């Protein structure tokens, strides 16, 4: 019995972990050279910066156990339960659940999930066909742990149920702009920006990392991003100007880095925790659940892995 998991983000790694824990052989294929997916951490000026997911929250007991282990290992830390809501120039406290961050970057959490798993990096899959097969190699089940628009081109026409599930997903794009300054002149830890044409969210990376580095990461709106998919680098200057207007930040950054997320956030999501059909094809990720969160991705992958194990190991 073998299962091939395509994608080494949180959902794919959680799925693989659930299968391995149940005694099912797994191979994880990841096209990138690192694990993590949208738990993306880049190194700028020798310092890790989170450029994908901004943070994560915890409400499920199973995921809480994982987060507790991360905390005990020094990989995760409680960050803040209050961010700022910005509407024009009004700044209002936005209390909510505890947001968690990672001192070494959120990708370090994915690396921890991947520890001991057979993950093949730099392995781009070309096709998934009936059987099921991955690039001609047979498996008992195949899991595509990725956004539907990325899964769809891989799926053969014969895999009608999986193709329909993937095609039903709609995703919004975003651009993450990392800005390093000479000094900290702002007070906000993080902010949701409402009603702005360019900015959706601002995060103080020094605050969430815990080193107080003068680094901001701004995320653009879906509408703005859609107009700049072919030229995302333009966003750096636009974001600098927008920050001047939104939070009164007048100083120019010492460095700018841009990361385009073509599939940043699913909209809308589904209540189903995963897709698994009779042809042996599974889909999982943060589009499968009530809200698109890191926890949702972990729950989706874990539930799918457990269900596949149940089918392969009856009784």
């Amino acid at each position: 019995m073998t299962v091939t998991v395509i994608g080494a983000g949180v959902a794919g790694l959680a799925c693989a972990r659930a299968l391995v824990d149940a005694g099912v052989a797994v191979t994880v294929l990841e096209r990138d050279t690192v694990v993590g997916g949208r738990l993306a951490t880049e190194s700028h000026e020798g310092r890790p910066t989170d450029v994908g997911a901004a943070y994560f929250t915890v409400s499920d007991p199973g995921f809480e156990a994982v987060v507790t282990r991360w905390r005990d290992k020094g990989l995760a830390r409680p960050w803040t339960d209050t961010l700022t809501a910005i509407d024009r120039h009004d700044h209002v406290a936005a209390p909510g659940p505890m947001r968690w961050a990672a001192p070494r970057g959120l990708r370090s959490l994915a690396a921890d999930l991947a520890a001991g798993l057979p993950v093949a990096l730099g392995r781009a899959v070309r096709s998934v066909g009936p059987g099921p097969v991955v690039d001609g190699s047979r498996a008992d089940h195949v899991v595509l742990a990725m956004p539907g628009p990325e899964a769809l081109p891989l799926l053969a026409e014969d895999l009608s149920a999986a193709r329909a599930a993937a095609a039903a997903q709609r995703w919004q794009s975003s651009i993450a702009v990392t800005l390093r300054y000479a000094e900290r002149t702002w007070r906000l830890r993080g902010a949701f920006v409402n009603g702005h044409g360019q900015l959706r969210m601002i995060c103080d990376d020094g605050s969430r990392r815990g080193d107080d580095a003068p680094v901001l990461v701004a995320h653009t709106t879906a509408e703005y991003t859609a107009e700049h998919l072919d030229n995302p680098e333009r966003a750096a200057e636009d974001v600098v100007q927008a920050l001047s207007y939104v939070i009164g930040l007048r100083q120019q950054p010492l460095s700018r880095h841009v990361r385009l997320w073509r599939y940043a956030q699913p909209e809308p999501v589904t209540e189903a925790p995963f897709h698994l059909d009779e042809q042996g094809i599974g889909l999982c990720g943060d589009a499968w659940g009530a809200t698109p969160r890191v926890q949702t991705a972990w729950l989706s992958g874990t539930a799918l892995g457990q269900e596949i194990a149940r089918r392969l190991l009856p009784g």
Side-chain angles (χ1 to χ4, degrees), residues 68-90:
T68 298
R69 179 169 57 83
W70 285 339
R71 182 195 61 195
D72 293 344
K73 295 172 70 172
L75 295 175
R77 62 186 289 266
W79 174 34
T80 181
D81 61 0
T82 303
L83 297 179
T84 301
I86 300 176
D87 190 346
R88 294 184 181 273
H89 289 293
D90 293 331

Side-chain angles (χ1 to χ4, degrees), residues 213-282:
V215 176
L216 292 177
V217 180
H219 300 265
T220 63
T221 64
E223 295 75 17
Y224 173 86
T225 307
E227 297 175 356
H228 296 81
L229 290 175
D230 295 331
N231 185 25
E233 294 296 327
R234 168 63 189 273
E237 180 58 30
D238 289 345
V239 165
V240 169
Q241 294 182 18
L243 289 174
S244 175
Y245 173 78
V246 172
I247 63 173
L249 183 56
R250 306 302 181 188
Q251 62 173 311
Q252 287 294 308
L254 300 177
S255 64
R256 313 173 186 197
H257 301 277
V258 172
R259 175 72 174 264
L260 169 65
W261 293 100
R262 192 171 293 273
Y263 305 111
Q265 185 169 349
E267 183 66 34
V269 294
T270 174
E271 294 289 339
F274 55 78
H275 167 86
L276 182 60
D277 55 47
E278 296 305 314
Q279 293 176 289
I281 305 297

Side-chain angles (χ1 to χ4, degrees), residues 53-59 63 67 76-85 92-103 106 109 189-192 201-204 207-209 293-294:
Y55 55 80
F56 65 93
T57 59
V58 185
S59 59
F63 186 56
V67 174
R77 62 186 289 266
W79 174 34
T80 181
D81 61 0
T82 303
L83 297 179
T84 301
V92 180
M98 176 58 67
R99 282 86 171 182
W100 287 72
L106 289 173
L109 307 182
R189 293 181 175 179
F192 305 109
M201 187 174 192
I202 308 166
C203 282
D204 181 337
S207 171
R208 63 184 173 185
R209 177 103 329 103
R293 297 174 178 168
V294 174

Side-chain angles (χ1 to χ4, degrees), residues 181 183-188 204 213-216 247 249 251:
Y181 293 88
E183 60 179 332
R184 299 168 62 90
T185 59
W186 57 85
R187 294 185 179 180
L188 60 82
D204 181 337
V215 176
L216 292 177
I247 63 173
L249 183 56
Q251 62 173 311

Side-chain angles (χ1 to χ4, degrees), residues 294-314:
V294 174
Q295 176 178 270
T296 302
W298 184 88
L299 289 171
S300 175
T302 298
L304 177 56
Q306 292 172 343
E307 176 59 22
I308 292 175
R310 187 189 67 79
R311 294 189 183 189
L312 292 176
L313 304 168

Side-chain angles (χ1 to χ4, degrees), residues 9-19 113 117 297-302 305:
V10 171
L13 294 171
C15 182
R17 178 62 62 191
L19 287 162
L113 287 177
L117 293 176
W298 184 88
L299 289 171
S300 175
T302 298

